[in-house]
C-alpha cells in the first residue's frame, strides 16, 4: 500500500474516532493492550529479524534501543492502560466568554484529525504514539526508521486487531510501508491529509521537518537531559538518582547526559560520584569534565561539541555551577541555589507541559521542546 493510500484511509475513518465517547476509546485501548500481550512471540520474532539485520551496522547502545523483550512488551501494554486511565481531553472547555449581548462563547479542545509521527529505531514508540492518538480522538499515521520496521509493523497489525475488537476501524492506526526518505517527504507535504506532523528523533530529522513541512509541524527537541545537584541536596539520594538516571538504560532519549553540580559541594561530592560511577562499576561511565571539575577528579576535558551531544552511551558531561557561569548558553539564567532537574537547551523556555500528554494532540495546545544536558556547577 502506498503512503498516499494510507493517508486517504486514515482521513476517511478519523471521524469515527472523533465521534467515539470516552468509554469506547478506553475499551479500544484496553483491547490494544490485551492484543499486545497475546501476541508477544509474534512481536519478538519480528524484532529478532530487525536485530539480526542491524547487528553489523548499529552501535550497542542503538541495538539496545531497538531490542524488545517480553518485559518491554508488557511495559508497552501497561503504558497503554495508563493512558486509558487518564481523563479524556476531548471537549474540555479551555476558555469561556460571556458577551454583553448575551452571546456565550466557548473554546473547547477537539481532535486534530490525522496526526503523522516520524520516529526512528525505538519500537515501543509505536504503541506509545498510537495510544495517545486514540485517547485524544485522532487517527495516526506512523513512519518508523527502517531498522525497526519489522517490529513496528508487527505491533501496528496487532494494535489494529484491538481497535477492531472494540468496534473501531483498524485504519485509525497505520504504519507507512515505505522506509525511504521519500515517504517522510510525502508526510511533510500531505496538505489536506495530515493535520499535524510530529517528528521524534535526532536534530537532523527535526530540522528537516521544520524546514520542509507544508503541514502544521510541532518542533520537539533532542534528548540532552540535565540533572542539577544543589549545595543543599541530600548527597546520598543524589548519588542514587544520578546512577539510575545515567546507567539503568543509557541508550534512551531521557537518559541523563549532563550533570550540573554546585561548586560549594564540588570537592566533597565529585569524588563520591566518581567512585560510584567509575571505580565501583564493571562498566564505568566515561567522564567529560569542564576545566574546574577536571581539577577535582580525573576525566576527559569537555569540548564545545560535548555540550550539544546526546551520547546515548556510558558517557557523561560534568560541569560546575557558579552564579557567574552560563552552562546552558541560553537567554535565561538560573539562581545558583535553585534545583532544576531538567532544563531545555533551547533559546527560550518552553511552554509548560500539560498534565495530560493526550492533550498535546488536541487543538489549542502546544508541545514543548524537550532538550536537556548534564554538567557540574
Amino acid at each position: 500500500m502506498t503512503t498516499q493510500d494510507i493517508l486517504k484511509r486514515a482521513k476517511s475513518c478519523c471521524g469515527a474516532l472523533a465521534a467515539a465517547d470516552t468509554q469506547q476509546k478506553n475499551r479500544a485501548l484496553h483491547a490494544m493492550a490485551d492484543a499486545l500481550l497475546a501476541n508477544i512471540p509474534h512481536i519478538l520474532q519480528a524484532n529478532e529479524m530487525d536485530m539480526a539485520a542491524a547487528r553489523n551496522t548499529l552501535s550497542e547502545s542503538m541495538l539496545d534501543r531497538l531490542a524488545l523483550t517480553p518485559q518491554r512488551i508488557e511495559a508497552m501494554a501497561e503504558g497503554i492502560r495508563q493512558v486509558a486511565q487518564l481523563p479524556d481531553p476531548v471537549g474540555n472547555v479551555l476558555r469561556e466568554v460571556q458577551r454583553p449581548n448575551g452571546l456565550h462563547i466557548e473554546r473547547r479542545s477537539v481532535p486534530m484529525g490525522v496526526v503523522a509521527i516520524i520516529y526512528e529505531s525505538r519500537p515501543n514508540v509505536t504503541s506509545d504514539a498510537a495510544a495517545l492518538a486514540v485517547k485524544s480522538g485522532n487517527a495516526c499515521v506512523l513512519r518508523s526508521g527502517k531498522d525497526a520496521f519489522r517490529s513496528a509493523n508487527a505491533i501496528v497489525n496487532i494494535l489494529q486487531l484491538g481497535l477492531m475488537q472494540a468496534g473501531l476501524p483498524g485504519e485509525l492506526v497505520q504504519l507507512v510501508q515505505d522506509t525511504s526518505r521519500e515517504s517522510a517527504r510525502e508526510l511533510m507535504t500531505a496538505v489536506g491529509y495530515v493535520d499535524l506532523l510530529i517528528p521524534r528523533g535526532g536534530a537532523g530529522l527535526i530540522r528537516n521537518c521544520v524546514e520542509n513541512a507544508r503541514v502544521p509541524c510541532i518542533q520537539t527537541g533532542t534528548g540532552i537531559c540535565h540533572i542539577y545537584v544543589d549545595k543543599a541536596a541530600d548527597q546520598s539520594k543524589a548519588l542514587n538518582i544520578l546512577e539510575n538516571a545515567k546507567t539503568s538504560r543509557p541508550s534512551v532519549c531521557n537518559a541523563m547526559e549532563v550533570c550540573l553540580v554546585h561548586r560549594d559541594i564540588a570537592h566533597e561530592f565529585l569524588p563520591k560520584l566518581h567512585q560510584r560511577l567509575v571505580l565501583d562499576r564493571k562498566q564505568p561511565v566515561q567522564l567529560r569534565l569542564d576545566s574546574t571539575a577536571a581539577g577535582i577528579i580525573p576525566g576527559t576535558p569537555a569540548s564545545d561539541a560535548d555540550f550539544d551531544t546526546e551520547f546515548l552511551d556510558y558517557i557523561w558531561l560534568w560541569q560546575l555551577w557558579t552564579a557567574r557561569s552560563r552552562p546552558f548558553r541560553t537567554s535565561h539564567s538560573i539562581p545558583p541555589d535553585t534545583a532544576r532537574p531538567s532544563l531545555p537547551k533551547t533559546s527560550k523556555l518552553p511552554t509548560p507541559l500539560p498534565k495530560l500528554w493526550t492533550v498535546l494532540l488536541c487543538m489549542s495546545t502546544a508541545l514543548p521542546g524537550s532538550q536537556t544536558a548534564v554538567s557540574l556547577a
Side-chain angles (χ1 to χ4, degrees), residues 138-358:
N138 294 285
C140 68
V141 175
L142 308 172
R143 195 267 189 189
S144 74
K146 63 180 180 180
D147 295 320
F149 175 77
R150 297 176 186 87
S151 304
N153 199 45
I155 293 168
V156 166
N157 289 337
I158 291 166
L159 295 178
Q160 290 176 338
L161 292 175
L163 284 167
M164 290 186 287
Q165 289 171 3
L168 292 173
E171 290 86 354
L172 289 169
V173 175
Q174 296 188 76
L175 182 73
V176 172
Q177 300 297 297
D178 179 8
T179 59
S180 71
R181 293 184 179 180
E182 176 60 22
S183 65
R185 188 197 66 79
E186 287 187 74
L187 294 180
M188 295 179 208
T189 58
V191 177
Y193 292 102
V194 171
D195 298 292
L196 177 66
L197 174 65
I198 303 176
R200 175 169 173 168
L205 168 65
I206 295 168
R207 183 172 58 252
N208 185 30
C209 289
V210 171
E211 292 176 354
N212 297 299
R214 293 174 55 196
V215 298
C217 180
I218 289 179
Q219 180 177 4
T220 60
T222 53
I224 308 177
C225 301
H226 298 68
I227 284 183
Y228 167 53
V229 182
D230 186 56
K231 64 181 180 180
D234 180 327
Q235 293 189 20
S236 177
K237 182 183 294 185
L239 289 170
N240 292 334
I241 291 172
L242 290 166
E243 182 176 23
N244 177 69
K246 183 60 189 175
T247 66
S248 61
R249 197 178 175 199
S251 64
V252 296
C253 59
N254 62 342
M256 292 298 116
E257 305 288 11
V258 180
C259 180
L260 180 68
V261 176
H262 199 289
R263 69 175 305 169
D264 287 0
I265 62 168
H267 286 274
E268 175 187 1
F269 184 73
L270 293 189
K272 297 178 183 178
L273 197 55
H274 179 262
Q275 181 74 35
R276 175 75 71 93
L277 295 180
V278 179
L279 300 181
D280 292 346
R281 286 185 55 82
K282 292 182 179 179
Q283 187 167 9
V285 175
Q286 301 175 40
L287 308 183
R288 306 284 175 88
L289 308 174
D290 73 353
S291 57
T292 309
I296 301 174
I297 55 175
T300 302
S303 66
D304 285 343
D306 289 328
F307 290 88
D308 299 310
T309 299
E310 184 182 19
F311 297 110
L312 300 175
D313 205 345
Y314 289 98
I315 301 172
W316 212 352
L317 172 63
W318 291 6
Q319 187 177 11
L320 295 179
W321 172 265
T322 69
R324 297 176 299 279
S325 66
R326 297 183 63 200
F328 301 104
R329 304 181 203 169
T330 61
S331 61
H332 62 279
S333 60
I334 308 163
D337 296 332
T338 301
R340 296 290 298 273
S342 178
L343 290 169
K345 280 193 62 184
T346 55
S347 59
K348 60 183 180 180
L349 288 173
T351 304
L353 184 67
K355 291 183 179 180
L356 299 180
W357 289 5
T358 53

